[in-house]
Amino acid sequence: MTFSVVVLAAGKGTRMKSSLPKVLHPIGGKPMVQRIIDTVNTIGASSINLIYGHGADQLKQTLGHNELNWCLQAEQLGTGHAVQQAAPHISDDEDVLILVGDAPLIKPSTLEELISIKQSADLALLTVHLDDPTGMGRIIRQGDQVTAIVEHKDATDEQRKISEINTGMMIMSGQNLKRWLNNLNSDNAQGEFYLTDVIAMAASEGKVIKASHPSSAIEVEGINNRMQLANIERAFQFEQAQKIMAQGVSLNDPHRFDLRGELTVGQDISIDVNVVIKGKVTIGSNAQIGPNCVLIDCDIAEGASIEANSIIEQAQVGEHCSVGPFARLRPGAVMHAKAKVGNFVEMKKTTLGKGSKANHFTYLGDTTVGEGANIGAGTITCNYDGVNKFKTIIGDGAFIGSNSSLVAPANIGNNATVGAGSIITKEIADNELAIARAKQRNIANWERPTKK
Ligand code: UD1
Ligand code: CA
């Protein structure tokens, strides 16, 4: 049978103390509700109904690219009332899988199992046993049979001892769901229309109710505050760490690894502690990433070595290149094979040719450097006149002496040499030496001033 999905996401998330709706807070760099939508999209739902209320504009802006039925719940009168808002989109002869927007680690396999046990039942529930079930809806059973869910606030002391709880995720036919929702009342401790009351209705009609469980409780753990957000983030990151380790990556500490995007890896890669990876990143075999590096939308080729505290964004690092420590590769930086960039070197829209080096304290912007060139310590390309940007070209085998300023547009030929401390404002042809600095003057027997 086909099924549609309802995602409950109308709550404000008061305890987050945030102007961002709770379900937009990120896990692994992606809004938590987007993770749920992505999961649902892998299991073949016919449509997704998103129940929204608080933060409508922000939700629509962030989630607008998804194919969703937007169902406004203007007032949050309870989970049953929330699902009711999707009723116009629900057809009788389809199953309806209800999910919560604040439990982002739910796995496709867990949902698939829930859907499959529904095939031999009228209603299937996802439940879990918790050491501390405080606050959760308790699963009431008679013998093996689930007969009701009782909310914590409505439960007797005896019922509160039950450790099996409602995760909020369940599936039933559209026809039954709509009929039961119409019979809900708010006659309970919270004065809300509880979705969970449909369980007792199903049981009283003699319907078959079955329960399945997630492989781990973390999958169904909801996020209500920032501590829970952080816990779920760590659980998510540990899972990602395990995945990439299984692909042949050594992580010095899988608990100090943060991937907020997609990482494609080769083998025998080592990643030291506190590395943050965002966007789409590729790391080739035998590459090493030192501690505290940030890699954003970049490609690190085979055998490259990124030393501690380097930041690489929208850049390409070629095979066996060396970067850092403390290097910054900004958008458009390209290093060809075996090129080297050392400490406190910044590159933007700059290509460093094969085997070329810029080892210390340098800024290269809008620059093309050929092969085998050496850019001395403290070299600065002056690429910006305050209004426009200009390009610098440095030829193969060029040698730029330390502390030189290359005023762009600059054109420095193959095997050209620039004397240390030069301010270069004119073109330098192949094989020429340019020295552009004040001549040294020596004064003999110089008397230093004395204190008056
Ligand atoms: C609910 C369940 C409880 C279960 C728990 C699991 C009910 C009555 N109780 O309790 O059995 O153990 O989840 O976490 O269903 N929401 C709306 N509109 C509303 C109310 C809630 O969209 O009017 C959304 C919230 O944004 C949230 C989800 O529904 O994503 C759950 O709501 P919440 O208030 O957290 O329910 P609980 O009281 O925790
Ligand atoms: Ca909750």
Side-chain angles (χ1 to χ4, degrees):
M1 194 187 275
T2 61
F3 69 97
S4 61
V5 168
V6 175
V7 180
L8 302 187
K12 190 175 178 201
T14 311
R15 282 171 285 168
M16 295 299 285
K17 306 257 167 73
S18 176
S19 58
L20 189 68
K22 177 171 81 174
V23 294
L24 292 185
H25 280 259
I27 289 294
K30 194 187 269 189
M32 62 176 96
V33 67
Q34 183 67 57
R35 291 211 168 270
I36 293 161
I37 293 167
D38 291 351
T39 300
V40 168
N41 283 333
T42 68
I43 60 170
S46 65
S47 64
I48 304 175
N49 303 287
L50 184 77
I51 314 299
Y52 72 103
H54 285 280
D57 292 345
Q58 283 165 292
L59 278 163
K60 287 193 167 161
Q61 204 172 21
T62 310
L63 305 176
H65 63 283
N66 296 281
E67 220 177 284
L68 298 171
N69 294 327
W70 289 84
C71 310
L72 177 66
Q73 186 194 23
E75 253 190 302
Q76 280 75 58
L77 303 180
T79 51
H81 179 257
V83 176
Q84 234 161 0
Q85 311 312 307
H89 299 285
I90 292 172
S91 62
D92 288 349
D93 50 7
E94 229 184 8
D95 280 345
V96 181
L97 172 65
I98 298 165
L99 303 176
V100 288
D102 61 359
L105 298 195
I106 189 71
K107 285 200 165 87
S109 55
T110 299
L111 295 179
E112 277 161 352
E113 196 196 331
L114 183 68
I115 293 162
S116 96
I117 66 160
K118 163 65 182 62
Q119 305 310 312
S120 57
D122 296 299
L123 191 156
L125 269 179
L126 190 68
T127 73
V128 73
H129 287 269
L130 295 183
D131 293 339
D132 179 12
T134 310
M136 312 301 276
R138 304 300 205 282
I139 306 297
I140 310 297
R141 289 177 184 259
Q142 270 169 18
D144 254 5
Q145 275 299 305
V146 174
T147 57
I149 296 174
V150 177
E151 290 306 302
H152 183 90
K153 286 188 176 144
D154 300 288
T156 62
D157 286 347
E158 204 53 36
Q159 288 169 330
R160 287 183 181 177
K161 287 181 189 152
I162 298 170
S163 66
E164 188 184 9
I165 63 101
N166 170 36
T167 63
M169 304 182 210
M170 57 184 83
I171 180 168
M172 66 203 86
S173 77
Q175 190 180 31
N176 282 334
L177 174 65
K178 285 193 282 186
R179 190 162 51 81
W180 291 327
L181 288 176
N182 280 332
N183 294 331
L184 292 180
N185 63 58
S186 58
D187 210 356
N188 52 54
Q190 302 183 75
E192 288 181 0
F193 295 90
Y194 290 165
L195 172 65
T196 43
D197 284 352
V198 305
I199 312 302
M201 292 178 191
S204 73
E205 289 178 14
K207 301 287 191 204
V208 180
I209 302 170
K210 290 191 176 173
S212 68
H213 314 291
S215 48
S216 120
I218 196 83
E219 271 188 65
V220 296
E221 207 167 298
I223 295 171
N224 297 302
N225 58 43
R226 290 179 193 255
M227 195 63 218
Q228 288 167 337
L229 182 73
N231 285 338
I232 296 287
E233 177 73 20
R234 287 333 305 163
F236 173 75
Q237 292 299 348
F238 189 62
E239 216 171 83
Q240 300 199 100
Q242 285 173 308
K243 271 186 208 159
I244 75 154
M245 291 174 95
Q247 293 172 49
V249 175
S250 285
L251 294 180
N252 288 50
D253 184 353
H255 292 285
R256 282 184 288 171
F257 172 71
D258 287 84
L259 169 56
R260 302 176 198 148
E262 286 167 47
L263 176 61
T264 308
V265 291
Q267 292 188 359
D268 297 307
I269 292 164
S270 76
I271 300 182
D272 214 323
V273 299
N274 300 332
V275 169
V276 176
I277 297 174
K278 300 188 203 178
K280 275 204 172 128
V281 172
T282 309
I283 305 178
S285 293
N286 302 305
Q288 299 180 40
I289 316 294
N292 309 320
C293 288
V294 180
L295 309 180
I296 307 166
D297 292 313
C298 60
D299 295 321
I300 312 292
E302 270 189 48
S305 173
I306 314 298
E307 305 296 333
N309 301 299
S310 295
I311 299 177
I312 301 179
E313 178 170 11
Q314 291 175 44
Q316 283 166 268
V317 176
E319 289 180 14
H320 304 285
C321 283
S322 168
V323 175
F326 296 99
R328 179 164 181 216
L329 302 187
R330 291 170 50 204
V334 176
M335 293 174 67
H336 289 177
K338 296 187 178 164
K340 272 187 88 178
V341 154
N343 44 224
F344 306 106
V345 171
E346 173 181 344
M347 295 210 298
K348 182 217 74 171
K349 281 195 191 155
T350 287
T351 299
L352 199 53
K354 198 172 156 193
S356 289
K357 294 174 188 170
N359 276 338
H360 328 267
F361 309 105
T362 284
Y363 172 62
L364 297 172
D366 305 303
T367 299
T368 305
V369 180
E371 297 183 1
N374 194 319
I375 313 296
T379 298
I380 305 288
T381 54
C382 311
N383 60 327
Y384 184 50
D385 63 7
V387 183
N388 297 302
K389 302 251 165 84
F390 299 94
K391 293 202 164 85
T392 298
I393 295 169
I394 299 174
D396 294 343
F399 182 96
I400 313 296
S402 297
N403 199 30
S404 294
S405 302
L406 311 178
V407 180
N411 206 330
I412 297 168
N414 294 332
N415 298 307
T417 304
V418 170
S422 291
I423 298 175
I424 298 300
T425 52
K426 285 191 266 183
E427 189 164 331
I428 307 170
D430 292 354
N431 306 308
E432 273 183 350
L433 165 67
I435 305 176
R437 63 183 185 223
K439 267 215 161 107
Q440 180 168 332
R441 211 157 49 103
N442 291 10
I443 298 168
N445 304 317
W446 175 252
E447 297 267 345
R448 288 191 200 145
T450 54
K451 192 139 183 127
K452 288 189 179 126

